[in-house]
Each structure stands twice: as C-alpha cells, then as structure tokens.
Amino acid sequence: MKHSNHYESAFEAFLRERRIPFLAVEERRRTCLEDGSTLKNLDFVVSPPGAASWLIDVKGRAFPGRGGYWKNWSTQDDLIGLRRWETLFGDRFVGMFVFAYWICGNRSPVPPEQLFTFRKKLYAFVGITFAEYVAEVKLLSPRWRTVAMPTARFRQLAKPFDEYVRGDGGE
C-alpha cells in the first residue's frame, strides 16, 4: 500500500471504520522470490470473520473517468502478480481487484448508503474476484500492456465491496 495514493488510503480508512481485519502491504520494493524473480506486491490482505480471506489489489479510478464510467483497466503485470499471490497463499485466499472510484459527478456505482467520505472526497469500492476478472479480460493496449473487461460484463459481475465482507458476496 502506498500512503501517498489517496485511493489506497481511502480504502484503508474504510476497512478501519468498519473494523474489518486487514493487513496493509508495504510496496516500496517488489517481493523477491526464491528463483530470483520479483513479484508485484498486493495492497491488502483482508480477512473478515465468516467470509473468505481476500488478497486485494486496489485500482483507483475517477467516476466518471476520461471517456466514461466504469473504467476497469489493469495491467498484465497486475494479473501475473495476483495469480502468483493466490498460488503462494493457497486455497483459503482469493485474489480480488477492488476498484476504488473517486466520485467526481452525480452518479455512483454503489447505492448512496455505501459511499465513503475520506478527506472531503467521496469514494465507492467495487470488488471483483480475480477468477471472474481474468476470465473476461481483453487486451486494451499492447504498448502499455493493459487489459480490461467489457463494461457491460464488469457491471454484471462486480459487486459493492460491502457485499463481500458481509459474507453474502464471498466465495
């Protein structure tokens, strides 16, 4: 987690306010593996009582962003990293992207009662499991190695993060 990243800081404050157990991962350096390769770090390990434990990579986006709503792009490096973390942690942990949307207009991807205020900004947190995301992802830019899901499919599969930690949206 990068404290200079307002999206990640807002998500941490959200977890603290709701008293959801979590571990914030330090991101100053990539993790070194036994084979000498490096691995992009996670942002959080979240373990709510009675629900799956989540390996979370936070993706900050404005809502609406340039070019529209529901931006959900990530990088191929993000996919490789999250897949490796799932393997390293084992079956009891599920990879997840949490899209932290900074609400910049009068629409929101979550109901009003699920919006979160942090440092005078309004945020919505939307989660999608790594398995759901990677199954639907398409190459967005070969040059930048970015990928994204089709917007309509993302809207069908992604859920307000509150649903995952309440136990009704978990694995």
Side-chain angles (χ1 to χ4, degrees):
M1 163 186 181
K2 296 177 191 161
H3 285 10
S4 62
N5 181 315
H6 69 97
Y7 297 102
E8 293 175 13
S9 293
F11 187 66
E12 180 178 24
F14 168 86
L15 294 171
R16 285 187 191 285
E17 183 176 286
R18 285 172 170 70
R19 298 177 191 245
I20 299 167
F22 72 93
L23 173 68
V25 178
E26 180 61 52
E27 288 189 71
R28 275 190 260 172
R29 294 189 187 119
R30 290 172 66 103
T31 297
C32 293
L33 301 175
E34 289 179 357
D35 65 4
S37 65
T38 63
L39 184 57
K40 181 184 181 293
N41 286 329
L42 301 166
D43 295 313
F44 297 92
V45 178
V46 177
S47 295
S53 291
W54 304 104
L55 305 170
I56 294 179
D57 191 353
V58 174
K59 301 286 150 209
R61 307 285 179 261
F63 194 95
R66 269 193 316 194
Y69 295 91
W70 295 97
K71 296 296 179 187
N72 68 77
W73 63 270
S74 64
T75 67
Q76 291 175 332
D77 196 35
D78 294 333
L79 301 180
I80 292 165
L82 206 44
R83 183 183 311 274
R84 289 288 304 270
W85 284 116
E86 277 189 329
T87 301
L88 290 168
F89 271 82
D91 293 340
R92 294 181 22 184
F93 293 83
V94 177
M96 176 184 285
F97 287 114
V98 170
F99 287 86
Y101 290 112
W102 170 27
I103 307 303
C104 298
N106 58 2
R107 293 179 60 196
S108 168
V110 300
E113 65 274 7
Q114 292 180 355
L115 292 172
F116 183 74
T117 302
F118 178 72
R119 296 182 185 156
K120 299 182 182 179
K121 294 180 182 174
L122 205 53
Y123 294 87
F125 302 110
V126 177
I128 186 164
T129 67
F130 175 72
E132 289 172 324
Y133 187 80
V134 78
E136 303 281 342
V137 78
K138 308 282 187 234
L139 185 63
L140 192 62
S141 168
R143 180 178 179 200
W144 297 105
R145 296 180 35 91
T146 54
V147 296
M149 283 180 69
T151 300
R153 191 68 176 138
F154 182 77
R155 289 184 68 183
Q156 287 174 341
L157 295 174
K159 300 178 182 104
F161 186 73
D162 277 338
E163 292 183 24
Y164 288 99
V165 294
R166 282 196 322 251
D168 57 352
E171 294 288 300

